[in-house]
Amino acid sequence: MNSNKYRILIVEDDSNICSFVKTVLEASDYQVITAGTCQQGLMMAASHVPDLIILDLGLPDGDGLELITAVRKSSGVPILVLSARTMEQDKVKALDLGANDYVTKPFGTAELVARVRVALRSRRNSANASGGKYQLDDLQIDYDRRTVTVSGSEVKLTQTEYNILA
Ligand code: CA
């Protein structure tokens, strides 16, 4: 298993949709973990620290909106809501609670993957703004120190080169 893959948590009780989304994302080279209830979703969000959560709102043990609220108390992980609820007020509520995006069912796979990419990009940009590190194989970017190391040794870059890479 490549541990540098983005890890995506799907919280969805409909097993057909869940395995469909999982297949689509794995084909795009993401690592996917799944949960079928709010409770399990919260546990897995805490223990597996995903890079993105794809969330259904109608879950057997509660409303996905509650999960958004609970996750947001401790984490800025991007949350993409995937719901059959098409009312504008449902979307507004989810976004106000801290969801990053909202996709209504039925959805196109290309659109879903594109929105996943955007959400992951926004996470990377916020990591860039607030500090932190980015790791890809032997390459590490330290956003606080603005340094780049490969296999532990620092690479000398101009500011422009650094910005392009970051
Ligand atoms: Ca559901």
Side-chain angles (χ1 to χ4, degrees), residues 12-13 56 58-59 105:
E12 165 70 82
D13 63 315
D56 177 31
L59 293 163
K105 299 173 187 170

Side-chain angles (χ1 to χ4, degrees), residues 41-109:
L42 271 176
M43 270 168 43
M44 290 185 74
S47 58
H48 290 77
V49 196
D51 297 290
L52 172 77
I53 298 174
I54 295 180
L55 176 66
D56 177 31
L57 293 184
L59 293 163
D61 61 335
D63 195 305
L65 296 172
E66 294 160 20
L67 190 144
I68 299 176
T69 307
V71 167
R72 275 291 167 268
K73 283 181 186 158
S74 62
S75 167
V77 60
I79 299 174
L80 195 161
V81 173
L82 189 60
S83 178
R85 297 181 195 167
T86 56
M87 298 282 288
E88 185 179 17
Q89 66 198 49
D90 290 322
K91 298 181 188 177
V92 170
K93 194 163 187 194
L95 295 169
D96 277 348
L97 286 173
N100 298 65
D101 201 356
Y102 197 109
V103 177
T104 50
K105 299 173 187 170
F107 54 90
T109 54

Side-chain angles (χ1 to χ4, degrees), residues 8 25 30 52 54 80 112-120:
I8 299 175
L25 293 175
Y30 296 112
L52 172 77
I54 295 180
L80 195 161
L112 181 70
V113 173
R115 286 177 184 267
V116 163
R117 273 200 304 272
V118 169
L120 288 169

